[in-house]
Amino acid sequence: MNRILLVVLISLFISLCAQANDTNSGVNTREAINDYYLLRKELLLAQDVVDTAQAVVNNRDQFSSNIVAKAFSLLSDVAFNQGNLLVAFQFAQYGSEIDKIDVELQLDLMLKIARGYYAQGNYIQLKDTSQSAAWLAEQANDMNYHLQALAYSVVAYALSAEYDLAVKTLNKVETLLSQNQTNVDQITLLETIAQAHFYLSEYDNAVELLNNVIKLRIDMARTEGIAHSYHLVANAYFQLQQYDDAYNAFWQSLQFAKQYKLVIHAAYAELGLGQVLYEQQQLKPAKARLMNAQVVFNQYNLVRVKLSTKISLVKVMFALGEQIEAEAMLISAQSLAKNIVLSPQQIELYLLLTDYYKAKNNLPQAIKNQSHYLSLYQGLYPNVSVKDSFATAAISTSDKAKKLALNLAEQSQLSLEFNEKYAQQKMLIILLASLLSCSAIFIIFCRFQAHRLKLNLSYDEIELPQNQLAQPVQTKRWYQQQYKIARKYQYDISIIYLKIENWQELSFRFNRKILADVSKVLAIIINENIDEEDYAGIISTGEYLFLCPHQNIEQALIKFDRIKQAINTRFFANLGDFSVKVVFAVDSPSIQDIDPYVFLSRLSECADSE
C-alpha cells in the first residue's frame, strides 16, 4: 500500500514539474519575443530569432494575439534582411490577419505589407496601403510610422504618374521630419525618401541622401543593413550613367552582403555589377556576374529579379555572338514575363523580342511585340511632360533634403557619443592633421592628373581622321545622348539615316580591301559635306547615322541631297562599272517620340520603303 502511494506521489510530482516547465518556457518565449521586437531590425539575423518566432507561430494558441503578431513581424524582418522580399511580404500579411492587436503593431505590419507591394510592382495596392497606414498613424499620433507611411505614399504617387501629389506629399514629409527628428527611425525613413526622389527622376538628390545615410550607418555602427543602402545608391548612379560610381557601389554592396552572409543581397549586387559591366562593354565578366545571380534567384524562385537577370543575359549573349543561347534565354524570359507586372526597365524585353522576330522574318510577331512595348510604355509614362514639370518643381526641395541627413546625423545620440570620443582624441587628431592634409593634396593632384588624362583620351576618340567615321558603339552612345538632350531642352534636331542599298551585292562581288577603300571614300565625302556641329557615324555595315542639332528638316535636306549626289556621281576606280546606290530618310522627332531607338527603327523603315 505504501509503495502504491509513493508511486502516485512521484507521478503527481513529475506532472506538476512538467507543467511548471511548460509555463516557464512560455514565459521565457514571450520575454524573448518582446526583447527581439525592441532590437534594431538589421540585427535580426540570428537563428535564435527565427527559432523563437517559429515556436510562437507553431503554438499560437498558447500566446496572446500581440505576441503572435510580433513573431510574424520578426520573421518578416529576418526575410527582408536576407533579401527574400516575397517571403517577408507573406509573413507580414499573416501577422496583419490577426485580430485585436495593438495599433503600433498594426502600423508596423501595414508598412511591411506596403514594402512588399512595392517590391512586387503592385503600385495601386502600395498607394492604398500607405494611405491607410498614414491615416491610422495620424489618428494614433505616431509620428514615426506616420512619416514612413507618407514616404511610401510619395513612392506610390511617383510610380503611378501622379506627380503633383508626389511632390506635395514629399514637401509635407520633409517639413514634418524637420520638426520631429526625435523618436523617428531615421535611416529607414531617409532611404524611403531617397526612393521617392529616385522615382521623381531626382537622381542627384537620391545619391546625396543615400550617401549621407551610408555615412550615418557607419557613424552609428549600423552596418548590418548597409548592403541595401549601397544597392540603392548604385541604382541611382546607374540611372545617371555614372557607371564607375555605380560599379563601386554595387561592389561595396556585394562585400557587405558576403560579410553578413546575405546570399540574396549578394545576388542583387552581382546582377547590378553584370548590368554595369555590360554598359562598359566588358561582356565576359558581365556574363559571369549575371550567371552567378541567376543561380541564386533560381534557387529561391525570385521571379521578378530572375526576369531582370534573363533580360540582361540576353543582351550580353547577343553581344558575344552566342546566338542560340541568347534566343533560348529570350524565349524563356518571354514565358516568365506573362504573369508579372513589368517594371519600366523590364519592358525592354519586348524590344528585344521585336528585333528577334524581325530577324526571323516573322513580321506579325515583331509588330505585335513592338505594339505591346509601346502600350506598356504609355501605361507606365502616361504624362511624361507632366512628370518633367513636377520633377523640376521638386528641385526646390533639393537643398533642404541634402542637409536633412547631415542634421539628423549630428543630432542623433550616438553621433554625440562619437563626438565625445573624438574630443578625447583631439591631440592625436592635431598630430595627424598635417599628414592628412598632405595626403589630401596628393589625392587631389592624382585625381586631377587622371581627369586630364581621361579628357585627352576622349579628345583623341572624338578627333577622327578625315577618312574615318565613328564606330557603331560610339555612334549609338552619342545618338542616344544628343537625342535626349534635344528633347530635354526642346530644340530642333534633324536625324538622317543613310544606307548603301546595294552593299550586300558589293560584299559578294569584291574583297575586304576594296570594301575598306570604298568605306574610306564614303567617309571622306561625308566629312567634306557636313558642318562642324553635325555628328556622323556608322550604325552597322553600310548604314550611317547623322545628327544635325538646331537644324530643321529643310536645312538638313540641302546638305544630304549634296552628299547623295556626290556619292552617286563619284567614280570608284576599284569597282569598275559597278556603282554605289544610296537611299536615305530624314526626320525630326516630335514630342510623342520618346524612345530614340523606336524613332530610329521607324526612320530606317522609311528609307527601306524608298
Side-chain angles (χ1 to χ4, degrees):
M1 183 70 180
N2 291 335
R3 183 175 297 179
I4 294 173
L5 180 60
L6 180 60
V7 170
V8 171
L9 289 174
I10 291 173
S11 301
L12 180 61
F13 177 77
I14 292 173
S15 176
L16 291 173
C17 287
Q19 291 179 7
N21 288 335
D22 289 342
T23 302
N24 290 334
S25 177
V27 171
N28 292 337
T29 301
R30 280 193 293 273
E31 290 177 352
I33 289 292
N34 287 325
D35 291 340
Y36 287 140
Y37 190 77
L38 295 175
L39 285 175
R40 294 200 310 266
K41 306 305 180 186
E42 299 94 337
L43 296 175
L44 299 173
L45 291 169
Q47 187 62 37
D48 290 344
V49 179
V50 177
D51 293 341
T52 306
Q54 285 181 339
V56 172
V57 169
N58 293 335
N59 301 281
R60 62 183 69 187
D61 295 336
Q62 301 176 16
F63 300 93
S64 66
S65 298
N66 283 334
I67 293 296
V68 177
K70 285 181 179 180
F72 277 118
S73 177
L74 291 170
L75 290 170
S76 178
D77 284 325
V78 171
F80 179 81
N81 291 339
Q82 292 173 343
N84 201 332
L85 307 183
L86 180 59
V87 173
F89 171 72
Q90 289 172 340
F91 278 131
Q93 277 194 317
Y94 295 150
S96 68
E97 292 169 1
I98 299 172
D99 296 327
K100 298 178 182 179
I101 59 175
D102 294 341
V103 173
E104 182 180 353
L105 263 173
Q106 292 180 40
L107 289 167
D108 181 37
L109 291 163
M110 287 177 75
L111 288 177
K112 286 167 183 172
I113 290 171
R115 182 178 67 190
Y117 283 134
Y118 165 73
Q120 295 176 57
N122 194 336
Y123 306 137
I124 296 175
Q125 292 291 344
L126 169 62
K127 181 167 62 176
D128 293 341
T129 304
S130 58
Q131 287 175 343
S132 299
W135 179 86
L136 182 59
E138 188 174 24
Q139 299 304 307
N141 198 27
D142 191 323
M143 187 55 63
N144 179 31
Y145 286 121
H146 186 207
L147 285 170
Q148 289 189 45
L150 287 175
Y152 271 118
S153 295
V154 177
V155 175
Y157 288 135
L159 289 167
S160 302
E162 296 178 71
Y163 302 113
D164 52 344
L165 291 173
V167 174
K168 181 179 178 181
T169 309
L170 181 60
N171 282 320
K172 181 179 180 180
V173 170
E174 293 173 341
T175 300
L176 288 173
L177 181 56
S178 64
Q179 298 169 357
N180 301 274
Q181 295 182 4
T182 58
N183 299 321
V184 173
D185 185 352
Q186 301 164 5
I187 288 176
T188 301
L189 179 60
L190 288 173
E191 284 183 346
T192 309
I193 293 174
Q195 289 174 325
H197 281 280
F198 181 93
Y199 288 111
L200 282 170
S201 299
E202 278 288 307
Y203 304 121
D204 285 321
N205 200 26
V207 166
E208 188 76 12
L209 270 172
L210 289 165
N211 279 330
N212 283 299
V213 167
I214 290 170
K215 181 180 182 299
L216 185 60
R217 280 190 179 278
I218 294 171
D219 289 344
M220 298 177 68
R222 290 182 58 175
T223 55
E224 296 86 1
I226 202 169
H228 178 63
S229 301
Y230 270 117
H231 191 269
L232 293 175
V233 76
N235 284 331
Y237 279 131
F238 189 87
Q239 292 299 319
L240 290 168
Q241 297 183 355
Q242 297 178 16
Y243 297 125
D244 289 340
D245 291 328
Y247 185 91
N248 291 334
F250 279 126
W251 178 259
Q252 290 288 352
S253 178
L254 178 62
Q255 301 313 305
F256 279 103
K258 287 181 176 178
Q259 178 182 337
Y260 291 103
K261 299 179 181 179
L262 306 175
V263 177
I264 299 175
H265 275 299
Y268 286 135
E270 294 270 14
L271 170 58
L273 288 170
Q275 291 172 334
V276 171
L277 288 168
Y278 169 74
E279 294 296 335
Q280 295 176 328
Q281 293 301 298
Q282 299 183 46
L283 300 178
K284 289 186 177 179
K287 181 181 177 183
R289 293 289 184 186
L290 293 170
M291 295 298 289
N292 292 341
Q294 188 184 41
V295 170
V296 177
F297 296 147
N298 286 337
Q299 179 184 350
Y300 289 90
N301 195 28
L302 302 176
V303 180
R304 289 184 63 81
V305 282
K306 186 160 61 173
L307 176 60
S308 296
T309 309
K310 285 180 179 290
I311 293 171
S312 296
L313 275 169
V314 168
K315 296 193 291 184
V316 171
M317 288 174 175
F318 273 130
L320 286 169
E322 299 173 359
Q323 195 75 15
I324 296 175
E325 295 85 348
E327 290 177 357
M329 187 68 69
L330 181 59
I331 298 303
S332 173
Q334 181 184 26
S335 176
L336 189 63
K338 290 179 180 177
N339 300 317
I340 302 176
V341 178
L342 300 187
S343 69
Q345 293 76 29
Q346 290 172 335
I347 65 173
E348 183 186 15
L349 169 66
Y350 292 99
L351 286 180
L352 295 171
L353 286 165
T354 300
D355 293 337
Y356 166 71
Y357 285 114
K358 188 176 179 182
K360 297 290 185 183
N361 291 323
N362 190 341
L363 294 182
Q365 281 297 326
I367 293 169
K368 179 182 177 182
N369 280 283
Q370 189 172 44
S371 300
H372 192 43
Y373 169 80
L374 292 173
S375 175
L376 289 172
Y377 194 98
Q378 291 168 0
L380 287 166
Y381 304 106
N383 298 307
V384 174
S385 59
V386 176
K387 176 184 179 181
D388 291 341
S389 66
F390 282 110
T392 303
I395 295 174
S396 63
T397 67
S398 294
D399 291 337
K400 176 171 63 177
K402 290 175 182 177
K403 294 175 183 177
L404 194 58
L406 289 173
N407 292 336
L408 288 173
E410 291 171 0
Q411 294 180 19
S412 67
Q413 184 63 36
L414 199 49
S415 290
L416 292 175
E417 294 176 9
F418 272 90
N419 289 335
E420 293 175 5
K421 179 181 177 182
Y422 294 149
Q424 294 171 2
Q425 299 174 349
K426 187 175 181 179
M427 292 303 297
L428 178 60
I429 294 173
I430 292 173
L431 292 174
L432 293 174
S434 58
L435 178 61
L436 292 174
S437 299
C438 294
S439 300
I441 293 170
F442 178 74
I443 291 170
I444 292 170
F445 175 77
C446 291
R447 289 181 67 88
F448 174 77
Q449 290 292 96
H451 181 66
R452 187 174 66 175
L453 179 61
K454 186 177 180 181
L455 286 177
N456 290 337
L457 290 173
S458 299
Y459 180 80
D460 293 339
E461 186 183 49
I462 294 170
E463 292 296 318
L464 294 170
Q466 189 76 359
N467 62 352
Q468 290 185 25
L469 293 173
Q471 294 303 301
V473 172
Q474 184 183 352
T475 301
K476 291 172 184 177
R477 183 170 66 245
W478 59 245
Y479 164 62
Q480 189 175 17
Q481 290 173 348
Q482 293 300 317
Y483 189 100
K484 289 183 177 179
I485 291 171
R487 281 186 49 76
K488 181 176 181 180
Y489 295 103
Q490 298 182 359
Y491 60 75
D492 289 336
I493 182 169
S494 293
I495 299 170
I496 298 93
Y497 169 83
L498 187 146
K499 181 179 180 181
I500 308 301
E501 192 175 21
N502 57 344
W503 188 265
Q504 288 187 348
E505 190 176 351
L506 276 169
S507 303
F508 180 75
R509 294 183 59 174
F510 300 98
N511 59 38
R512 289 186 181 179
K513 183 179 183 304
I514 293 177
L515 292 176
D517 293 339
V518 172
S519 297
K520 289 180 181 179
V521 173
L522 292 173
I524 292 171
I525 293 173
I526 291 169
N527 285 323
E528 286 176 347
N529 287 279
I530 62 174
D531 297 328
E532 189 172 330
E533 67 273 12
D534 296 336
Y535 295 86
I538 302 167
I539 55 174
S540 65
T541 305
E543 297 179 70
Y544 301 85
L545 186 65
F546 307 85
L547 266 72
C548 301
H550 305 287
Q551 298 174 47
N552 57 34
I553 295 176
E554 289 75 17
Q555 292 171 317
L557 272 173
I558 294 172
K559 67 183 71 174
F560 282 93
D561 280 331
R562 193 166 62 241
I563 290 174
K564 182 178 180 181
Q565 184 177 0
I567 295 173
N568 287 334
T569 57
R570 182 66 173 259
F571 174 71
F572 294 86
N574 49 4
L575 297 182
D577 295 334
F578 196 90
S579 59
V580 175
K581 297 179 182 179
V582 177
V583 294
F584 74 90
V586 57
D587 200 358
S588 182
S590 64
I591 191 65
Q592 289 83 14
D593 294 313
I594 299 168
D595 189 282
Y597 291 107
V598 173
F599 178 83
L600 179 59
S601 175
R602 190 170 66 244
L603 194 62
S604 64
E605 289 173 359
C606 291
D608 291 337
S609 64
E610 181 182 329

